[in-house]
Amino acid sequence: MTLAAVSPTRHDVLLGRGHTTKTHPGNVQFRRYVDERRANFLSARKHMKRIIAQGIVDEMKSKGIRFLVEKTGDVMPDEKLRWFEVDYEKAVDKVMHRLRAVKDISRSQSQTSAAAAAAAAATASAPPTSSTSPAAISCERRDDLLEQLEAHTIVPNVKGPTRTESPDSLEISSLLKPGTASQWDGEESEKLVQFMSSLDTRVVSLRDWIVANHPGSMSGGTANHYIKDAIRLAIKVAELCLANFCEFDIDRLLLTPDGDEPRVHLAHTADRPWASTPRDEMKCLTMLGYIFLEMFTGRVSSDAIISEQGKSSKPPSYQLDAFDNRIGCVLDSEDLPFRLRFLLKCLVQCTDDTRAINGAYRSVGDVLEDLRLMNSNPSCYLEDLYVTGTVPIVSLPDKLYGRDGVILKMASLYNDSDNCRGLICQGKAGVGKSALLTAALSSLAVQTGSYFFMTKFNQQGPLSPLTNIVTIFDSLVDSFSKDSTTTQLTSFADAINDKLGLQVSFLAQLVPSLSGVLPHASTTGLAAACIDRAASVNFIFLSLLETISCYTPRIILLFDDVQFADVNSRAIMTSLLLDSTTNSRVFFACSLRDDEVSHDLAAWLAVIRQCPFEQIQVEPLELDDVNMMVSETLHTPPRLTRQLSSILLSKTRGNALFLREMLLQLSMSGLIYLKLNPSRWAWSIEKILMDAEMPNDVVMLLVREMQSLSDDQLLCLKIASCLGSVTKYSIFDVLSAELGGVDLRATLSQLTAKGFLIEDGERVRFSHDKVHQAAYLMMSRGQQIEFHKRFGLALSINALGRGEPADE
């Protein structure tokens, strides 16, 4: 009966000797599988040993595992069809041979078993003459011992200091090197046994780890978990390559447990003279490509397997002249994320010609940077991109860039309550002061259990005097009344009555939330007499803050855009800030534009700087910050977006608001577009540079973006710009009726989703005063006058009909 030639799979067991057979994934699994059953075999009676081996063969065959032998000759020119399945008895003999062997006991066994194996291996070939006869160590056994020994020592690094090893390990490794005597006396053999028994036997090769953990199919939760683990190991491999002036292949990579993450290191290098020669960066990149290819696909590429002829002193010669289309097909058939497949292809096809192509890797450092990004931010740099909508638009991340140092400084100032009671934040319009202060201070409030309240002054001025001051104090009293016990509320009411006396009635009129805390406060008498007395107003707000801060957690108050504050509001802030010297329970923050400082504002700042406040200057974003923002927006590694970021930096001058709007505008105009199969963002540098219509002013850019809105959205935005920077939803409900039942609330939600507006409880406000300004500029002067008259009259009629003040 003639046997048909077959093609080996990664699960088959290959009979024979040599490097390729030993490292074949099926053989690695076979050794581990059989070694786990060796204890039963050694303890069984003689007539049961072959039965145990037969059971192992039967169990492996039931799983589709074949035992194959290679036959060479001219009649079989195809190297894949040189393998034939052996008969049953030969398979049993293979298992029996492994069960009897002791020189390759699995490293997962106990240290006692490892010590016994080392002792048996060291004396296995000694002639049975006497116990003091020298023990012969074969070349193959010497290599095994060196590999195991190297797993517990530090690989030499020509860039750093000499490795440190114990004297015993140095002596033993030197005795095992080629050229030394292969015969050891009894004392040396005993020394070897004792040393090997002290080693940690949990070391495994990287290829063993791949075989044991690779899920086979790269879809599903198990595969995702494996990819993340493999990326962390790939980072360690790249770091090892970067730290050593040598090339290496996957067969020399070992893993040793080291805390939560394994340590990746090289097998012994003493007998490889080429290991210390200067490395070729291109060869290193290709080497990493083949290593990573096997790690992520679980397949051993024919180009990555180096056939060894004895112990060659030359480095592995990878195929570097052209890209292997077979590997490209393998990657395209794998269900791996696009970015991971792109990384593998770029590495495997790395040549002098391809390194000049955009996207190709030029150094191991570039590879390491991309792997670290995949590990730290997989949703952005690893997972495939999914964009919905008929017209794909980039989605800007809701985070701050380039502000880590400023945020840390704010936290330090807040915690230093003995010496600092607040800060003044300055910077140009659109640089990101409001977003920075809001994010940093609200986060501090959450971390420390403090209260955080803010108010933003409007460029058009408030609808009524003291609106912003009243709003921030009303929010403070409301939170206090909800969080406090009845006893605390009663104590506070008594304290504020004692401090203000009859002026409590005036305070209750100004701050509506106080009616729930001071239900019996009179609304007549002194209130009318004091309503125009600025000193009384300053005093009652100062008294309220001093009293309430004794019953609440620490309070953070943010006054944003104080350059737009009215005279009365600044006077109240002055009394509050000057009193901060004696009140450490309140932390103040003020922001202003340093390029819009009037004479009055400069005089006010001169007074405020007498307080224990620190000044923080917010500068425009630098290139690295812009590049990270662009990179995360486009889900593309920073090394590939740097040229685009340089152009955007020159056009926006690092203005955060301008930069965000320009990215949206480029996406809406098609200069940044979505490529399909697989989905990824792309752009044309030439077209962006040639776009003569690209405005250089952020307001004009916003106006251009607003021109693409629907008629209903544009009308709603114009109405909001006439009403002020912050408007109650109830106002829009009144105007909906004036417009014939138009649902302005629904349109406001659409504008909020687009980033023009921000929901603020029962109110809505513009995301930035530049957005407010741009919306107002969308109307002619005549239309502005018409809208003010029409909607102002509608609100007045509605208020009079309900018997309420018209300035709601």
Side-chain angles (χ1 to χ4, degrees), residues 17 98 102 141 227 254 277 327 380 401 414 446 463 578 580 609 654 666 718 781 791 804:
R17 302 179 64 85
R98 179 64 193 178
V102 291
R141 176 55 183 156
I227 289 175
L254 303 175
T277 59
I327 295 180
C380 181
Y401 293 90
Y414 179 76
V446 172
L463 297 176
L578 291 176
S580 65
R609 289 196 172 101
L666 290 174
K718 290 177 179 178
R781 181 58 182 165
F791 298 123
E804 297 179 357

Side-chain angles (χ1 to χ4, degrees), residues 119-394:
T123 58
S125 59
T129 54
S130 67
S131 59
T132 59
S133 299
I137 299 180
S138 66
C139 293
E140 183 179 358
R141 176 55 183 156
R142 184 195 66 222
D143 294 340
D144 292 336
L145 292 175
L146 279 172
E147 180 180 346
Q148 190 173 162
L149 177 65
E150 182 60 28
H152 304 275
T153 57
I154 301 174
V155 179
N157 184 347
V158 297
K159 295 169 61 177
T162 306
R163 63 176 174 179
T164 57
E165 299 176 345
S166 67
D168 286 344
S169 65
L170 288 172
E171 180 181 353
I172 292 175
S173 60
S174 64
L175 290 171
L176 288 172
K177 290 179 182 179
T180 60
S182 61
Q183 300 292 325
W184 282 21
D185 58 24
E187 181 180 354
E188 291 172 330
S189 184
E190 179 65 23
K191 188 173 184 178
L192 172 65
V193 172
Q194 293 176 358
F195 179 79
M196 298 304 291
S197 65
S198 67
L199 296 181
D200 183 355
T201 58
R202 293 173 294 171
V203 61
V204 296
S205 69
L206 177 58
R207 180 164 279 158
D208 286 351
W209 181 89
I210 297 171
V211 171
N213 293 279
H214 196 281
S217 172
M218 297 308 294
S219 60
T222 304
N224 292 337
H225 183 74
Y226 173 83
I227 289 175
K228 292 178 181 178
D229 289 344
I231 286 176
R232 288 195 290 270
L233 284 180
I235 291 174
K236 295 178 181 295
V237 173
E239 290 174 341
L240 187 65
C241 179
L242 196 63
N244 290 272
F245 282 142
C246 64
E247 298 93 27
F248 50 83
D249 51 58
I250 194 171
D251 299 313
R252 297 182 55 210
L253 291 172
L254 303 175
L255 309 182
T256 301
D258 185 13
D260 295 333
E261 294 287 339
R263 180 172 66 92
V264 179
H265 49 100
L266 294 175
H268 195 71
T269 60
D271 57 343
R272 302 185 187 229
W274 55 269
S276 59
T277 59
R279 71 180 184 189
D280 185 314
E281 195 75 12
M282 185 174 63
K283 287 184 179 180
C284 287
L285 291 171
T286 310
M287 169 198 73
L288 288 178
Y290 285 122
I291 293 174
F292 295 163
L293 181 69
E294 185 168 344
M295 288 178 64
F296 291 104
T297 66
R299 306 186 187 188
V300 181
S301 169
S302 59
D303 297 303
I305 298 177
I306 309 302
S307 58
E308 293 187 346
Q309 297 179 356
K311 292 292 179 181
S312 174
S313 61
K314 297 182 179 181
S317 57
Y318 292 99
Q319 191 175 14
L320 301 172
D321 55 343
F323 174 62
D324 191 337
N325 290 325
R326 291 174 297 166
I327 295 180
C329 294
V330 167
L331 288 173
D332 290 337
S333 66
E334 292 287 342
D335 193 15
L336 292 170
F338 162 72
R339 277 294 163 198
L340 195 53
R341 283 185 282 130
F342 181 76
L343 179 144
L344 295 175
K345 283 185 178 181
C346 285
L347 289 176
V348 173
Q349 69 175 342
C350 182
T351 65
D352 288 329
D353 295 329
T354 60
R355 289 174 74 182
I357 300 175
N358 184 30
Y361 291 104
R362 292 172 173 80
S363 68
V364 176
D366 288 344
V367 181
L368 187 57
E369 179 185 1
D370 281 7
L371 289 171
R372 287 171 173 167
L373 289 171
M374 291 180 184
N375 181 53
S376 62
N377 192 358
S379 61
C380 181
Y381 295 108
L382 176 62
E383 298 171 6
D384 290 333
L385 179 65
Y386 295 98
V387 181
T388 58
T390 54
V391 181
I393 303 295
V394 296

Side-chain angles (χ1 to χ4, degrees), residues 81 115 141 153 249 296 392 394 530 563 595 601 622 646 686 697-698 730:
L81 299 179
R141 176 55 183 156
T153 57
D249 51 58
F296 291 104
V394 296
C530 295
Q563 73 273 3
D595 55 347
L601 180 60
E622 297 180 353
S646 298
E686 292 77 12
D697 181 77
V698 64
S730 58

Side-chain angles (χ1 to χ4, degrees), residues 464-733:
S464 61
L466 305 181
T467 297
N468 295 87
I469 300 297
V470 168
T471 298
I472 199 170
F473 273 95
D474 191 56
S475 300
L476 171 59
V477 173
D478 182 60
S479 295
F480 166 66
S481 63
K482 292 177 180 178
D483 297 341
S484 301
T485 64
T486 303
T487 303
Q488 290 174 321
L489 292 175
T490 302
S491 178
F492 164 74
D494 293 340
I496 196 68
N497 276 305
D498 291 343
K499 181 168 288 192
L500 294 180
L502 294 177
Q503 290 184 345
V504 169
S505 59
F506 183 29
L507 181 61
Q509 281 187 323
L510 291 175
V511 183
S513 295
L514 273 176
S515 60
V517 183
L518 306 171
H520 304 297
S522 173
T523 58
T524 60
L526 189 61
C530 295
I531 195 165
D532 294 325
R533 296 175 58 182
S536 296
V537 174
N538 295 348
F539 175 72
I540 62 175
F541 277 113
L542 177 59
S543 299
L544 174 58
L545 185 59
E546 288 179 343
T547 305
I548 201 171
S549 63
C550 297
Y551 297 89
T552 65
R554 196 176 181 195
I555 301 170
I556 304 174
L557 298 181
L558 168 59
F559 299 99
D560 195 11
D561 280 342
V562 296
Q563 73 273 3
F564 299 138
D566 57 279
V567 175
N568 294 327
S569 296
R570 282 185 191 166
I572 295 175
M573 285 191 292
T574 301
S575 63
L576 297 176
L577 299 179
L578 291 176
D579 183 67
S580 65
T581 305
T582 59
N583 187 2
S584 62
R585 300 286 301 166
V586 183
F587 185 85
F588 294 95
C590 300
S591 76
L592 58 99
R593 297 177 183 174
D594 55 7
D595 55 347
E596 298 183 17
V597 179
S598 62
H599 177 74
D600 293 340
L601 180 60
W604 181 79
L605 288 173
V607 175
I608 297 305
R609 289 196 172 101
Q610 300 174 18
C611 305
F613 283 18
E614 288 286 337
Q615 180 173 318
I616 291 180
Q617 187 72 29
V618 180
E619 300 292 348
L621 298 177
E622 297 180 353
L623 178 58
D624 288 342
D625 308 321
V626 173
N627 192 33
M628 185 53 64
M629 179 179 177
V630 175
S631 170
E632 293 190 355
T633 299
L634 302 181
H635 294 249
T636 305
R639 64 187 181 86
L640 302 181
T641 59
R642 197 167 187 86
Q643 185 181 11
L644 173 62
S645 299
S646 298
I647 297 173
L648 295 179
L649 178 64
S650 65
K651 286 182 173 289
T652 64
R653 299 174 296 280
N655 186 292
L657 175 64
F658 199 177
L659 177 60
R660 296 176 71 89
E661 294 302 325
M662 178 162 279
L663 280 171
L664 288 173
Q665 184 62 37
L666 290 174
S667 179
M668 294 173 64
S669 62
L671 295 177
I672 293 178
Y673 56 94
L674 188 69
K675 275 191 172 183
L676 302 177
N677 298 320
S679 297
R680 61 197 184 279
W681 291 111
W683 56 91
S684 171
I685 294 294
E686 292 77 12
K687 290 183 179 179
I688 292 175
L689 289 173
M690 293 173 60
D691 186 9
E693 298 181 2
M694 185 65 66
N696 290 321
D697 181 77
V698 64
V699 174
M700 291 298 100
L701 188 65
L702 287 165
V703 169
R704 180 173 173 176
E705 184 179 348
M706 291 174 183
Q707 290 172 346
S708 64
L709 297 174
S710 66
D711 292 340
D712 289 344
Q713 292 171 343
L714 192 55
L715 174 62
C716 186
L717 204 58
K718 290 177 179 178
I719 294 173
S721 70
C722 291
L723 297 175
S725 61
V726 182
T727 308
K728 293 182 179 179
Y729 279 108
S730 58
I731 299 294
F732 288 99
D733 293 337

